[in-house]
């Protein structure tokens, strides 16, 4: 079990959510408690909306990194049936920071690829805190090509601070591995739906991010570098991460406004970590809607649409 982790600004909501859970359990045996349960649920929802409406970009960064947020395998457990995880890049080894495999989503065979950070200290170390090595990205590339070969839609889940920047990773061709992922996703003749479930950092995120539709959870982030890294470069002071987060326009509303993402997925009261099952239902709705739309496209249309989508990024008119 992972110890509860509560950020200072979310404590009032967390306390109310805990009381709602307790009362909900009691109400199952005593229906007389249902009016009180509804009142408390309304109060919790109202307080969360008021409190979280004024969150700063830096606070949203803290939320997207929350250690209790659901990770890729939590969504796979709730959304994908008959999932079989596939390992290795067939060149060097297996990288636990990226998980992937085949399964069935709403009766349709799909390929799933996503970052996995780990819960316990041992698991975090084994998964390198969700920072992929070259072999992780090459495993993802292998799965994209598998999906293309067998005409299976691709579902990706992004949650990484970035690709691992160690000497060994660079020696084994980190940048080439990321580039190969971008190329494989761009030419795949199948629907690709990407969901940013936590933090999306740098090329490590983009290697899973070339989708026909890119969704982001309400408190997710997406950026070319972490706020700490940006602050250390611009101001030579990593403690200015809060200012960097503000200037980088990396939160969900800004990403939607800039057309970097196509849809912002609402999160349960207090964030996805407060109710992972509800979070999975909301993600399910977004993926289902996108897949229903994209399956009407021809393979050539899917490739062209994806190409045009990314070519249009960064274009502004006065």
């Amino acid at each position: 079990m992972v110890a509860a982790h509560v950020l200072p600004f979310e404590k009032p909501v967390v306390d109310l959510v805990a009381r709602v859970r307790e009362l909900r359990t009691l109400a199952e045996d005593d229906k007389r408690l249902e009016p009180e349960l509804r009142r408390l649920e309304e109060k919790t929802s109202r307080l969360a909306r008021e409190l979280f409406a004024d969150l700063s970009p830096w606070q949203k960064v803290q939320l997207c990194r929350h250690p209790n947020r659901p990770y890729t395998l939590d969504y796979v457990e709730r959304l994908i049936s008959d999932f079989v995880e596939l390992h290795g890049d067939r060149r060097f080894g297996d990288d636990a920071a990226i998980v992937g495999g085949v399964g069935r989503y709403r009766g349709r065979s799909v390929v799933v690829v996503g970052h996995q950070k780990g819960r316990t200290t041992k698991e975090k170390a084994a998964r390198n805190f969700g920072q992929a090595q070259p072999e992780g990205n090459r495993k993802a590339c292998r799965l994209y090509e598998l999906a293309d070969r067998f005409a299976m839609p691709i579902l990706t889940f992004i949650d990484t601070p970035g690709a691992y920047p160690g000497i060994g990773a660079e020696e084994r061709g980190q940048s080439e591995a990321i580039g190969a992922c971008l190329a494989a996703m761009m030419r795949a003749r199948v629907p690709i739906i990407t969901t940013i479930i936590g933090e999306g950092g740098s090329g490590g995120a983009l290697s899973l991010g070339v989708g026909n539709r890119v969704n982001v959870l309400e408190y997710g982030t997406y950026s070319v570098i972490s706020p700490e890294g940006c602050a250390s470069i611009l101001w030579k002071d990593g403690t200015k991460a809060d200012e960097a987060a503000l200037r980088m326009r990396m939160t969900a509303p800004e990403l939607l406004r800039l057309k970097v993402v196509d849809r912002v997925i609402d999160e349960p009261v207090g964030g996805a970590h407060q109710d992972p099952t509800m979070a999975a239902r909301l993600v399910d709705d977004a993926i289902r809607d996108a897949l229903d739309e994209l399956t009407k496209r021809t393979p050539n249309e899917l490739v062209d649409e994806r190409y045009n989508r990314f070519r249009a990024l960064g274009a502004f008119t006065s």
Side-chain angles (χ1 to χ4, degrees):
M1 296 294 293
V2 179
H5 180 90
V6 180
L7 298 168
F9 61 84
E10 66 170 342
K11 191 176 188 309
V13 173
V14 170
D15 291 342
L16 275 176
V17 168
R19 289 173 58 189
V20 167
R21 286 178 183 153
E22 293 173 3
L23 192 57
R24 189 175 292 143
T25 301
L26 294 173
E28 290 177 359
D29 299 322
D30 189 349
K31 300 301 180 183
R32 292 175 297 177
L33 295 175
E34 288 184 353
E36 176 63 17
L37 174 61
R38 285 194 295 271
R39 186 193 67 79
L40 192 57
E41 286 176 333
E42 291 173 1
K43 180 180 179 181
T44 303
S45 179
R46 184 173 63 255
L47 177 62
R49 283 196 301 270
E50 293 172 355
L51 182 65
F52 282 38
D54 296 325
L55 289 183
S56 69
W58 178 239
Q59 288 174 318
K60 290 182 179 180
V61 169
Q62 292 175 283
L63 266 183
C64 83
R65 294 173 175 174
H66 201 293
N68 298 130
R69 277 181 80 86
Y71 296 148
T72 294
L73 290 178
D74 297 306
Y75 288 104
V76 167
E77 179 184 355
R78 291 168 170 84
L79 302 180
I80 309 298
S81 61
D82 302 324
F83 180 70
V84 178
E85 186 175 352
L86 301 177
H87 298 270
D89 66 346
R90 302 297 185 265
R91 298 186 190 183
F92 181 83
D94 188 41
D95 182 4
I98 288 184
V99 295
V102 295
R104 298 185 71 80
Y105 173 72
R106 292 180 170 268
R108 181 193 299 269
S109 295
V110 296
V111 165
V112 180
V113 183
H115 298 102
Q116 185 72 19
K117 290 181 173 178
R119 298 290 181 195
T120 64
T121 301
K122 182 178 180 181
E123 206 177 21
K124 289 175 182 178
R127 297 191 183 278
N128 202 27
F129 299 87
Q131 299 174 95
Q133 307 267 3
E135 47 273 21
N137 287 313
R138 291 189 176 113
K139 173 169 65 174
C141 187
R142 181 170 74 87
L143 291 173
Y144 301 150
E145 292 170 349
L146 175 74
D148 189 27
R149 190 177 309 126
F150 292 100
M152 292 185 287
I154 300 169
L155 309 181
T156 67
F157 296 90
I158 293 175
D159 188 13
T160 180
Y164 186 61
I167 293 176
E170 298 297 339
E171 288 176 340
R172 296 195 302 278
Q174 183 70 285
S175 60
E176 183 277 332
I178 293 172
C181 281
L182 304 185
M185 294 189 87
M186 190 59 76
R187 62 175 171 253
R189 293 161 56 84
V190 297
I192 302 178
I193 302 168
T194 292
T195 306
I196 302 163
I197 58 175
E199 60 180 326
S202 193
L206 196 57
S207 63
L208 273 66
V210 185
N212 292 92
R213 295 291 179 273
V214 179
N215 303 318
V216 61
L217 265 67
E218 184 178 0
Y219 303 117
T221 61
Y222 200 24
S223 62
V224 70
I225 192 172
S226 70
E228 296 92 334
C230 177
S232 66
I233 292 172
L234 291 183
W235 299 294
K236 312 300 182 188
D237 184 358
T239 63
K240 292 188 176 181
D242 55 344
E243 184 175 350
L246 174 64
R247 293 173 180 259
M248 289 168 68
R249 304 290 189 264
M250 61 191 297
T251 61
E254 293 285 0
L255 295 169
L256 184 64
R257 185 178 67 83
L258 295 171
K259 298 183 180 179
V260 174
V261 302
D262 303 293
R263 177 170 175 172
V264 175
I265 303 172
D266 291 336
E267 296 194 25
V269 173
H273 55 290
Q274 296 298 338
D275 193 343
T277 299
M278 176 58 73
R281 289 185 194 136
L282 294 167
V283 169
D284 181 28
D285 290 342
I287 293 176
R288 181 200 61 216
D289 292 346
L291 195 55
D292 287 346
E293 179 188 357
L294 293 173
T295 49
K296 299 173 185 176
R297 309 276 199 277
T298 67
N300 286 340
E301 287 173 339
L302 290 168
V303 173
D304 290 343
E305 182 183 74
R306 198 180 309 130
Y307 175 81
N308 292 330
R309 182 192 186 283
F310 281 85
R311 286 284 293 177
L313 290 179
F316 292 89
T317 56
S318 57

